[in-house]
Each structure stands twice: as structure tokens, then as C-alpha cells.
Amino acid sequence: MLQNIKVAVDAVVFGYESKKNLSVLLIKRGVEPFKNTWALPGGLVLEDESLEDAVERELLEETGVQIDYLEQLYSFGKPKRDPRNRVVSISYFGLVKPNHFKIQADTDAAEAQWFPITDIPELAFDHKSILDLAKARLKSKLHYQPIGFDLLSKSFPFSDLEHLYTTILEKDIDRRNFRKKLMSFGIIEETGEMSQSGSGRPAKLFQFNTKKYKALAKDGFHFEIKFV
Amino acid sequence: MLQNIKVAVDAVVFGYESKKNLSVLLIKRGVEPFKNTWALPGGLVLEDESLEDAVERELLEETGVQIDYLEQLYSFGKPKRDPRNRVVSISYFGLVKPNHFKIQADTDAAEAQWFPITDIPELAFDHKSILDLAKARLKSKLHYQPIGFDLLSKSFPFSDLEHLYTTILEKDIDRRNFRKKLMSFGIIEETGEMSQSGSGRPAKLFQFNTKKYKALAKDGFHFEIKFV
DNA sequence: TTATTTTGCGTTGAATTTACACAAAACTAC
DNA sequence: GTAGTTTTGTGTAAATTCAACGCAAAATAA
């Protein structure tokens, strides 16, 4: 008996705008099934491309967005997850920095749009489950991997990081302890610049030192932030 | 252009024999490619079965082993990982308790065998990478999930747990602190029985209380063991 | 110039983690 | 059956880490 299963990739891509909400990149489907329903960007993998390449290609085609961080999330393979053919979808988890938010709607898909995580429309297929899983992954990763920096600009005031954590984790932080802890790691450093002040005292700008982090990590260091 | 990609599952199944080594279940391939090479159990997914069903079916067919714990590991999809067709493999991570070690070689595959993790033969395809990933997963999970109990018999002396941790993590433990910590969680309890003494003082037997663990976990409790 | 917003920073008590050693229970060999 | 060996079982003190907490300084807005 010949196997006839399609292989697709789907991407849950998060973005975070300074002091606003966490958002997810969605597209409106142009074809059946679920025509005109919002869905995760993605599509069938080409015969000779890697899964990661497929994700990046589909993202570019459908949204024009370039990703700053990408990792595999989970594979979904229930026989009936697609009403027509059997499709196994390998889902990916992506983050983009604020300077890559711009959507190029020129291309393939009907429409692409950022949705605040608090206001997600009905989604096609089992994409709601995929999104939920991705949210959980993001939340848990914030605790043990310095992944928040892939949602911030290259240089940022400390309060941005703080707000990122509080809004995504939906928990309050003791600002002083949080800052103390993060600084103690020695993986973020002052740029020397100051923020163009908004309404209040201007803030020092910081940046994440990837090299230092990697060096420390190789040396047994383990990033970890807890909350009460 | 029609997509023609096969979907397979592979399983990395670990077993641990009291005070011995960690072992992995392998099969010797009966067909090309890689005929007569050792490989992870697995195979093509049937049209109408779930991925998990496929894993359990293949395991039964090829090794006769029934699994005590199963979770998805990672999906491997490099275009050339199989020299003939394109095959995307969704790999799974499994654990079996000592009472399920027995291999039923009657079935499908040429041969099945437990290999100590310290003495793994050359493996087919990219199965070496898959195994490495599974080892890493096992190691890291031991720290934050009470998964070691799925490698032990239902009731066990405390020293078994201790040895499990030290051999898998290849680190020394302070017995007193380890025991204190684990007992403080309140998820393992005395059975009342004593071990049939080997060569030394007989030991109390313990068992893992799954229900209690789940209740606590739902309530925000987080299993965590660190090592120095 | 006064009020408001936001940043930046230090200390103390509580809790947790680490380091560390010796006696009791069984078996083994004589 | 005695002496030696192996394995189990347990407590305390010092060091570290975590949690709680408030106020002054720099800017903008009114």
C-alpha cells in the first residue's frame, strides 16, 4: 500500500512592540479549505528544500517578514487534521525584532496581519492548538533562555525588557530584583547612549552581548529567571 | 509540481537496569538501504494512523517492546537524509520500565537488541544525531521532570534512583542532600516493604505517587533537581 | 514652578542550598 | 560466631541566594 501523506510547515511568529502587546503573524487563506479564514503562515514543503528553508520561504512569500529567531516547535499529524488530504505539519516557532515588522502584502497570500495575542480570530485547521503550544513555549523559554532579546531592538532601555516579561508572563516583577539578577549575569551591557526621553526620566540603553552569552553558556552558565 | 515525500517515525527507547547502564533499543535492518546496519526502530506511517500509533505499532512489530513513556522528540527533514526517497522522520523519545525489557524477536525485523549507551554501533541514516538529541533530552529532563521513575520498577530502593541519576548524568551526587530534596517534594512514598538484601543493609522500598505529583503540578509545583 | 512620570539604586531578614561524617543493619569469609 | 565489608540512613552549621521594601533624581507636562 502506497503512502500518500503531504508534508507542510507552519510558523508561529511572535513580535513585540515596545510597551505594547505581544503579537502573532497571521495570513488570511486565499483558497479552500478554510478560504478567508485566518491561519498560520506556512505551506507544503518542496521536494528538495529543508524544513527550515520551507518555513522561511513561505514566510517571505506570504508575509514578506524575515525572521530573527527560529526553532522547531512540534509536529502535528492527526489523520483528520486537514479535511481533505492527510497532511503532517511540522510547526516552527519564530521571533522577529521590531525593525522587521513591516509586512509586504504584495505577494502570494490574500492578506497578512499582526494580531495582538489577546485578540486572535478563529483559526483554520488545528492552528489554534499550535498557537497555544507556541505561547506556552515562549513563556517557558523566557525563564531559562535569553530569548526575550530577539523580541527587542538591538538596543533598548531596561524598562522594555521588564515590560516584555511582565506582559508575556502576565505577572508582576520586582523591578529592582529583576534588574539586579539580569545584570549579575553579565550578558547585557550599556551602550553609552540614552533613550530619547518619552515622558519621564531618560534611560540608559542596553544591549545583549550574544558572544559573551555563548561563551558563558559553553562554560556551564545557565540563564535562569524566576518569578514569584 | 506534485509533492512526494514519505513520512516516517523513529523511536529512541531507553531502558535502565538497576545499577547497570542506560541502554537503547536498536534493530538490525533487514532491507536496503543500510541492510544489516543497526538503526532505530521505526518506519513509514500508515495512511490512517496517528504518529503515536505508528510508533507503537512499529515498536511492537520490530521489537515486541511496549513503551511506558512516550513523547515527541524532533522532526528530521534534510532532503538527503535518506539516500533514495525523501523521507521526513518524526522521532519519538520513549522509556520502558525493567519489567518490559523482554524483546520478542519473533516478528518483523531481522533482529532487535538492547545496547548500552556506552557501546553503540554505527547507525543507519542520521540516527546517530537522533540518538544524541534524545540523550540530551533525557539528561535535561531528569532535572525538571520526574521522568526517572519511568525507568525504574514500580517500587525501588532509594539507591536505585540515586544511581540512575549519577550514571545518566555522569555526575556525583551528595546522597544526603539528594534524598532530602526528593523527599521534600512529597511525591515518593514508602511502600512498607524492604529490598531483598543484596550485599549490605536492606533498604526501604519506595514508589512514585503519580496522582500526588499531578495534583501538585497542577497547583504550580515545579519538580527541580540541581547538581553541583 | 509645581506636579507627574519614569529611572536608578541598597539593605535586611528569610529561605534555600551546600558541605560534611558516622553509626546501624545486613552479609561474607574465616 | 567474630571480624571485616558493604550498603543504608540520618542532622547541623555556614554560605549563598532570594524576597521584600522606599526614596531621590531626571526629565516632561501643565
Side-chain angles (χ1 to χ4, degrees):
Chain A
M1 172 194 176
L2 259 183
Q3 191 200 54
N4 181 27
I5 304 182
K6 301 292 174 204
V7 176
V9 289
D10 286 302
V12 182
V13 177
F14 292 110
Y16 174 81
E17 235 182 318
S18 182
K19 265 134 222 188
K20 288 200 183 165
N21 219 315
L22 183 70
S23 298
V24 182
L25 190 53
L26 299 177
I27 59 151
K28 189 184 267 178
R29 285 180 61 82
V31 296
E32 294 294 350
F34 292 101
K35 187 168 178 177
N36 292 322
T37 305
W38 291 95
L40 297 173
L44 293 187
V45 175
L46 297 182
E47 202 74 43
D48 57 354
E49 74 184 342
S50 73
L51 303 174
E52 288 78 13
D53 285 348
V55 176
E56 298 194 359
R57 177 181 52 74
E58 291 283 357
L59 269 175
L60 265 177
E61 285 177 13
E62 297 183 339
T63 71
V65 168
Q66 268 200 322
I67 214 82
D68 289 296
Y69 176 88
L70 188 69
E71 70 171 42
Q72 195 180 102
L73 179 61
Y74 198 79
S75 297
F76 292 81
K78 274 222 211 73
K80 288 279 146 67
R81 55 179 297 280
D82 186 312
R84 311 220 274 198
N85 322 301
R86 173 133 195 216
V87 179
V88 169
S89 164
I90 294 138
S91 67
Y92 278 77
F93 169 98
L95 304 176
V96 303
K97 289 171 175 266
N99 54 319
H100 291 146
F101 277 1
K102 184 87 121 324
I103 288 173
Q104 304 277 63
D106 48 287
T107 49
D108 211 47
E111 246 182 289
Q113 204 178 298
W114 287 102
F115 283 83
I117 198 73
T118 52
D119 192 23
I120 300 291
E122 188 112 331
L123 296 184
F125 306 106
D126 53 359
H127 287 190
K128 174 70 161 54
S129 329
I130 304 183
L131 174 56
D132 286 344
L133 188 65
K135 274 197 287 183
R137 179 92 130 227
L138 174 60
K139 283 188 181 188
S140 83
K141 283 227 159 191
L142 279 181
H143 294 278
Y144 64 85
Q145 198 178 316
I147 205 176
F149 304 106
D150 287 303
L151 287 169
L152 295 178
S153 304
K154 192 172 170 191
S155 97
F156 53 86
F158 212 94
S159 56
D160 270 16
L161 191 60
E162 215 180 289
H163 287 114
L164 176 94
Y165 268 82
T166 50
T167 65
I168 297 182
L169 297 180
E170 299 170 289
K171 282 195 180 157
D172 283 347
I173 300 184
D174 181 295
R175 268 173 57 227
R176 284 162 292 187
N177 291 338
F178 180 72
R179 184 161 177 156
K180 223 184 304 174
K181 182 78 183 188
L182 258 137
M183 293 316 262
S184 78
F185 293 153
I187 56 177
I188 58 188
E189 56 198 17
E190 300 189 13
T191 65
E193 320 255 301
M194 299 292 274
S195 69
Q196 311 315 346
S197 62
S199 61
R201 177 173 171 177
K204 295 177 185 171
L205 294 183
F206 294 88
Q207 60 189 25
F208 176 64
N209 188 331
T210 310
K211 278 169 203 161
K212 210 160 190 177
Y213 169 65
K214 285 190 179 161
L216 285 172
K218 194 178 296 183
D219 213 48
F221 162 72
H222 199 223
F223 180 90
E224 185 165 15
I225 307 249
K226 287 188 204 152
F227 290 87
V228 271
Chain B
M1 173 194 175
L2 259 184
Q3 190 201 53
N4 180 28
I5 305 183
K6 300 293 173 204
V7 177
V9 290
D10 287 301
V12 183
V13 176
F14 292 110
Y16 174 81
E17 236 182 317
S18 182
K19 266 132 220 190
K20 289 201 182 165
N21 219 315
L22 183 71
S23 297
V24 182
L25 189 54
L26 298 178
I27 58 151
K28 190 184 266 179
R29 285 180 61 82
V31 296
E32 294 292 350
F34 291 101
K35 187 168 177 177
N36 292 321
T37 304
W38 291 95
L40 297 172
L44 293 188
V45 175
L46 296 182
E47 201 74 41
D48 57 354
E49 73 184 342
S50 73
L51 302 174
E52 288 77 13
D53 286 349
V55 176
E56 297 194 0
R57 176 180 54 72
E58 291 283 356
L59 268 175
L60 264 178
E61 286 177 10
E62 296 182 337
T63 71
V65 168
Q66 267 200 319
I67 215 82
D68 290 296
Y69 176 88
L70 188 68
E71 70 171 44
Q72 195 181 102
L73 179 61
Y74 198 80
S75 297
F76 292 81
K78 275 221 212 72
K80 287 280 146 69
R81 56 179 295 283
D82 186 312
R84 310 217 274 197
N85 322 301
R86 173 130 194 218
V87 179
V88 169
S89 165
I90 294 138
S91 66
Y92 277 79
F93 169 97
L95 304 177
V96 303
K97 289 172 174 267
N99 54 321
H100 291 148
F101 277 2
K102 184 89 119 328
I103 288 173
Q104 303 279 65
D106 47 289
T107 49
D108 212 48
E111 246 182 290
Q113 202 178 299
W114 287 102
F115 282 83
I117 198 73
T118 51
D119 191 24
I120 300 290
E122 189 112 329
L123 296 183
F125 306 106
D126 53 359
H127 288 190
K128 175 68 162 55
S129 327
I130 304 183
L131 174 56
D132 286 344
L133 188 66
K135 275 197 288 183
R137 180 92 129 227
L138 175 60
K139 283 188 181 189
S140 82
K141 283 228 158 190
L142 279 180
H143 293 279
Y144 65 85
Q145 198 177 318
I147 205 179
F149 303 106
D150 287 303
L151 287 169
L152 295 177
S153 303
K154 192 171 170 193
S155 98
F156 52 86
F158 212 95
S159 57
D160 269 16
L161 190 60
E162 214 181 289
H163 286 116
L164 176 91
Y165 269 81
T166 49
T167 65
I168 297 183
L169 296 179
E170 299 171 289
K171 281 193 183 158
D172 283 346
I173 300 185
D174 181 295
R175 268 173 56 228
R176 283 164 294 189
N177 292 337
F178 180 72
R179 185 161 176 157
K180 220 183 308 172
K181 183 77 183 190
L182 259 141
M183 292 316 263
S184 78
F185 293 153
I187 55 177
I188 58 188
E189 54 199 18
E190 300 188 13
T191 63
E193 321 253 303
M194 299 291 274
S195 68
Q196 312 314 349
S197 61
S199 59
R201 179 174 171 175
K204 294 178 185 170
L205 293 184
F206 294 88
Q207 62 189 26
F208 177 64
N209 188 331
T210 311
K211 280 170 202 159
K212 209 158 191 180
Y213 168 65
K214 284 189 181 163
L216 286 171
K218 195 180 294 182
D219 212 50
F221 161 71
H222 200 224
F223 179 90
E224 186 166 13
I225 307 249
K226 286 188 204 153
F227 290 87
V228 271

